[in-house]
């Protein structure tokens, strides 16, 4: 078991390259099931969730080759096992994304109910109801989803709530369905646009990605292709906060400001000077203490739930009082007790945390509980006086590529050590 040890109080300065998006790479990997040939991906992040996805695809009969230039060739065109085992699925909720592609291409699938971070209930009923609308017969028994179909048929699908993974699952399934499928109240995230761009390159006929209505005209087959995964806007936002919370100046390479305007505007409100072009973003805090900012999470293009914990850390040492309201997940404040142990003045009131900023935090021994909560503890440790030790950092490795090495490039005093 590894842990991170951080000596805080050093302003971060320098340049760091942002990796490919986890939330784009995972559905694209599962989309390889739909292809009749290999898929070549570049800018794929080195993350434990990516490794888990590749192991799952290999277990089902897929193959992959990782080249020296980090390009990934994956061939999942001829699966021999139409089942996602519990042992591979239990750590990662995105594994549900195998269901739609397998059902569309092979007319059957058996997938364990997924696991992942313990940040609240993530019901799969939206996925299953939509697949049933396309003609799937589904039962859930013994912790597994069993799905069969004679042929998926296009339909009008109206999601009762916005769901990124349900949108991705259904649009992948619909690519090989007969006729036209229209998805209403679809998620609009950039990662969905990236998936759609890859599917179109494979031969899919899809329009409306990035809007609330996506239309898919089914085709008979899809081919292999090459695709570069879009940059990770959540990793980028986390590093921008690392610069802001330490009063430093950092530049991000391979970052797209277009997908980060909700995050950037809140950091500007906190007092940061931010400049950007098509491929980079620079934040300069000029040694100033950040100002408290109010945040309310919501579906894209509004403020992302995956940045809520990081802003909790920033507001902990900000000048003033703020309120952070979480509307997506009901249990996404598990970082609050840990930040409080560092001296943060945080009060939880329902789905809102009230932050009374203190001038400084004090290092402490902390326990990571989920992916983004882990990131918030790292950020707090970077700003705190003294030593902060964070246990269970395997959560971080699900979504941040070599985070301690990148932070070292910015001047952080941080080490990963083994118990």
């Amino acid at each position: 078991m590894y842990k991170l040890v951080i000596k805080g109080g050093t302003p971060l300065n320098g340049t760091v390259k942002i990796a490919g998006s986890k939330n784009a790479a995972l559905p694209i990997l599962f989309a390889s099931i739909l292809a009749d040939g290999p898929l070549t991906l570049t800018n794929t992040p080195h993350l434990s969730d990516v490794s888990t996805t590749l192991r799952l695809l290999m277990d089902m009969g897929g193959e992959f080759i990782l080249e020296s230039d980090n390009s990934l060739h994956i061939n999942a065109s001829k699966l021999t096992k139409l089942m996602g085992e519990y042992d591979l699925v239990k750590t990662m909720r995105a594994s549900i994304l195998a269901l739609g592609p397998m059902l569309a291409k092979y007319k059957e699938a058996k997938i364990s109910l997924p696991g992942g971070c313990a940040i609240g209930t993530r019901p799969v009923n939206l996925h299953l109801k939509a697949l049933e609308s396309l003609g799937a017969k589904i039962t859930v028994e013994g912790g597994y989803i069993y799905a069969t179909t004679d042929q998926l048929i296009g339909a009008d699908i109206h999601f009762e709530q916005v769901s990124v993974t349900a949108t991705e699952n259904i649009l992948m399934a619909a690519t090989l369905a007969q006729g036209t499928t229209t998805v209403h109240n679809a998620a609009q995230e950039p990662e969905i646009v990236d998936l759609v761009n890859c599917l179109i390159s494979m031969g899919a006929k899809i329009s409306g990605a990035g809007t609330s209505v996506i239309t898919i005209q089914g085709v008979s087959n899809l081919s292999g292709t090459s695709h570069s995964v879009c940059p990770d806007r959540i990793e980028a936002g986390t590093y921008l906060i690392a610069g802001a919370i330490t009063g430093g100046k950092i530049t991000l390479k391979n970052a797209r400001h277009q997908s980060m305007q909700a995050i950037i505007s809140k950091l500007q409100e906190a007092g940061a000077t931010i400049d950007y072009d098509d491929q980079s973003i620079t934040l300069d805090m000029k040694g100033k203490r950040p100002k408290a900012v109010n945040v309310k999470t919501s579906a894209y293009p509004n403020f992302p739930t995956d940045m809520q914990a990081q802003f909790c850390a920033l507001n902990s040492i900000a000048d003033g009082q703020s309120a952070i309201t979480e509307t997506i997940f009901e249990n996404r404040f598990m970082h609050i007790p840990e930040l409080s142990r560092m001296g943060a003045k945080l009060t939880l009131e329902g789905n809102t945390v009230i932050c009374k900023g203190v001038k400084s935090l004090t290092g402490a021994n902390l326990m990571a509980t989920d992916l983004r909560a882990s990131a918030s503890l790292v950020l707090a440790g970077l700003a705190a006086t003294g030593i902060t030790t964070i246990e269970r950092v395997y959560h971080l490795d699900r979504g941040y590529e070599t985070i301690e090495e990148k932070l070292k490039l910015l001047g952080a005093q941080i080490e990963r050590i083994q118990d």
Side-chain angles (χ1 to χ4, degrees), residues 10-16 236 238-253 271-276 280-288 406-412:
T10 302
L12 299 190
N13 291 280
T15 301
V16 67
T238 301
Y239 282 104
L240 289 178
I241 291 186
I245 201 169
T246 62
K249 179 181 179 180
I250 66 170
T251 296
L252 309 181
K253 297 295 185 182
T273 298
I274 299 180
D275 298 301
Y276 48 75
S280 68
I281 304 172
T282 297
L283 175 144
D284 190 353
M285 206 64 194
K286 299 179 180 178
K288 298 180 296 184
K406 289 186 177 183
L407 288 171
K408 283 181 183 178
L409 291 175
L410 299 173

Side-chain angles (χ1 to χ4, degrees), residues 1-166:
M1 194 77 72
Y2 288 95
K3 59 186 178 183
L4 290 179
V5 179
I6 305 168
K7 183 179 180 181
T10 302
L12 299 190
N13 291 280
T15 301
V16 67
K17 183 180 179 182
I18 298 303
S21 168
K22 173 181 90 83
N23 291 335
L26 298 184
I28 289 171
L29 287 172
F30 284 114
S32 67
I33 296 171
L34 295 164
D36 288 339
L39 186 64
T40 298
L41 296 181
T42 56
N43 202 38
T44 307
H46 297 283
L47 304 169
S48 61
D49 273 11
V50 170
S51 298
T52 299
T53 301
L54 291 173
R55 287 199 301 272
L56 177 58
L57 291 171
M58 287 179 64
D59 186 63
M60 294 191 294
E63 301 174 335
F64 77 92
I65 299 173
L66 181 63
E67 300 284 5
S68 58
D69 63 356
N70 287 328
S71 59
L72 177 66
H73 306 283
I74 180 164
N75 190 342
S77 61
K78 296 180 180 179
L79 299 187
T80 56
K81 177 182 176 182
L82 303 178
M83 178 178 179
E85 298 278 6
Y86 168 74
D87 285 345
L88 289 170
V89 168
K90 64 183 179 182
T91 62
M92 187 183 66
R93 69 183 183 277
S95 53
I96 189 71
L97 292 173
L99 186 61
M102 289 170 63
L103 190 59
K105 186 171 182 179
Y106 295 99
K107 309 299 188 285
E108 63 177 289
K110 178 181 178 183
I111 299 291
S112 172
L113 288 168
C117 288
I119 60 173
T121 58
R122 299 168 184 247
V124 299
N125 61 302
L126 293 175
H127 301 247
L128 305 189
K129 183 178 179 181
L131 287 171
E132 286 175 332
S133 297
L134 295 178
K137 298 176 181 178
I138 296 174
T139 58
V140 180
E141 183 179 334
Y144 279 84
I145 301 166
Y146 298 80
T148 60
T149 186
D150 294 328
Q151 171 65 54
L152 295 181
I153 306 295
D156 270 2
I157 294 171
H158 297 260
F159 284 125
E160 58 191 52
Q161 65 188 77
V162 177
S163 169
V164 173
T165 53

Side-chain angles (χ1 to χ4, degrees), residues 267-302:
L267 286 168
Q268 290 171 326
E269 189 180 333
T273 298
I274 299 180
D275 298 301
Y276 48 75
D277 56 31
D278 287 343
Q279 288 295 321
S280 68
I281 304 172
T282 297
L283 175 144
D284 190 353
M285 206 64 194
K286 299 179 180 178
K288 298 180 296 184
R289 181 184 178 191
K291 302 172 186 175
V293 294
N294 295 324
V295 167
K296 182 178 181 179
T297 67
S298 186
Y300 188 86
N302 298 309

Side-chain angles (χ1 to χ4, degrees), residues 210-233:
T211 76
S212 62
V213 180
I214 300 177
T215 302
I216 308 101
Q217 178 66 48
V219 297
S220 59
N221 66 284
L222 297 175
S223 63
T225 192
S226 296
H227 181 78
S228 179
V229 178
C230 69
D232 196 313
R233 62 193 172 99

